[in-house]
Amino acid sequence: MMKDLFDLTGKIALVTGASRGIGESIARLLASRGAHVIVSSRKIDACQAVADSIVADGYKASAFACHVGEMEQIDAIFDHIKSEFGQIDILVNNAAANPYYGHILDTDLAAFDKTVEVNIRGYFFMSTAAGKMMREQDGGVILNTASVNGLVAGDKQGIYSITKAAVISMTKSFAKECGPLNIRVNALLPGLTDTKFASALTTNDKVLKMALHAIPLGRVANPDEMAGTVLYLVSDASSYTTGATVVVDGGMLA
């Protein structure tokens, strides 16, 4: 019988920014394939609601609040994972910040700091914490949610685009150094997706019309349309794939 390459039974998966949007879709799909998913974001109530819903559907999930911009909270969630599960097989760095939409010259320090703390520092130290556990258990998978803005800067999204370019570089750096440890590291680069996070774009008719004109499929993505690529990248279906940046943008960059 052929092995199910997408089977995640027995895996422990941590998904950040999982209380809604792309992160929630990822959490639900990974759980449906057998993983125990730790649903994480800043607010425990929102995380618990998603985890409870996943359990109600017959799958395995729990909730743990973590603001990835706070080092103490990163330490706390990995202490919890070590004591509760003793392993982590999959980390999905999906939480992100984009507090400023406007001309790059008018970016203030607070917006700069928040975006960098979450999107770069948060991803980096979440990855090192998970990677140290994976090193001890002889392997694992890290998936970073970057953005097409990391390849082509978004208008009036300067610091966000800069941080997502850094995530792409970070993915490649971790992949190169962690490959010998049997730790694979890849990135998802979503295009315009219908989430609250992207509402500054999707609710602006003028901006949306321009964006849709540039997308060959002619529509905004649904969050669920990102989750399938993540399942591929964290499963044995991609066992020889590391350092990859997979664009899922409806053909926009084509």
Side-chain angles (χ1 to χ4, degrees):
M1 181 181 294
M2 182 177 290
K3 177 184 177 182
D4 181 356
L5 295 175
F6 296 98
D7 182 18
L8 301 179
T9 301
K11 304 291 187 182
I12 304 300
L14 169 60
V15 183
T16 69
S19 62
R20 65 187 186 213
I22 293 173
E24 179 180 354
S25 291
I26 293 169
R28 291 185 182 279
L29 183 57
L30 300 191
S32 77
R33 300 303 300 165
H36 180 114
V37 176
I38 303 162
V39 178
S40 183
S41 71
R42 290 179 302 158
K43 299 180 180 179
I44 188 60
D45 290 347
C47 295
Q48 194 64 58
V50 173
D52 288 346
S53 176
I54 290 172
V55 171
D57 287 339
Y59 307 118
K60 297 178 181 179
S62 55
F64 198 95
C66 179
H67 186 331
V68 302
E70 302 290 339
M71 294 297 295
E72 296 82 1
Q73 294 193 35
I74 293 175
D75 291 340
I77 196 168
F78 282 97
D79 286 344
H80 166 73
I81 291 169
K82 289 174 186 176
S83 63
E84 186 73 17
F85 303 101
Q87 69 186 77
I88 182 167
D89 303 289
I90 299 165
L91 167 65
V92 179
N93 281 316
N94 178 73
N98 188 16
Y100 175 67
Y101 179 77
H103 199 283
I104 195 168
L105 296 181
D106 299 318
T107 308
D108 64 31
L109 181 59
F112 178 95
D113 284 346
K114 181 177 180 179
T115 312
V116 169
E117 284 170 4
V118 174
N119 297 1
I120 300 179
R121 194 181 74 181
Y123 277 38
F124 184 90
F125 286 104
M126 290 289 289
S127 296
T128 57
K132 288 172 183 177
M133 289 185 66
M134 292 172 180
R135 178 172 59 187
E136 295 301 315
Q137 67 196 36
D138 193 33
V141 184
I142 297 172
L143 185 286
N144 295 319
T145 301
S147 170
V148 292
N149 286 19
L151 298 176
V152 178
D155 184 39
K156 297 182 176 60
Q157 301 167 72
I159 186 56
Y160 174 77
S161 299
I162 290 166
T163 61
K164 289 304 184 178
V167 170
I168 293 170
S169 180
M170 187 189 308
T171 298
K172 295 178 181 295
S173 294
F174 271 82
K176 179 166 287 190
E177 296 196 39
C178 294
L181 303 174
N182 196 32
I183 301 170
R184 298 190 297 108
V185 188
N186 296 293
L188 169 73
L189 277 60
L192 188 58
T193 307
D194 189 14
T195 64
K196 183 177 180 181
F197 190 83
S199 61
L201 303 176
T202 58
T203 60
N204 183 317
D205 289 341
K206 182 179 179 181
V207 171
L208 181 59
K209 184 177 180 179
M210 290 176 60
L212 293 179
H213 181 72
I215 299 172
L217 290 186
R219 61 180 176 84
V220 176
N222 182 288
D224 290 344
E225 294 181 291
M226 300 297 147
T229 299
V230 174
L231 174 60
Y232 165 71
L233 290 171
V234 303
S235 71
D236 287 344
S238 63
S239 58
Y240 197 60
T241 302
T242 194
T245 54
V246 182
V247 175
V248 184
D249 68 347
M252 185 179 72
L253 296 189

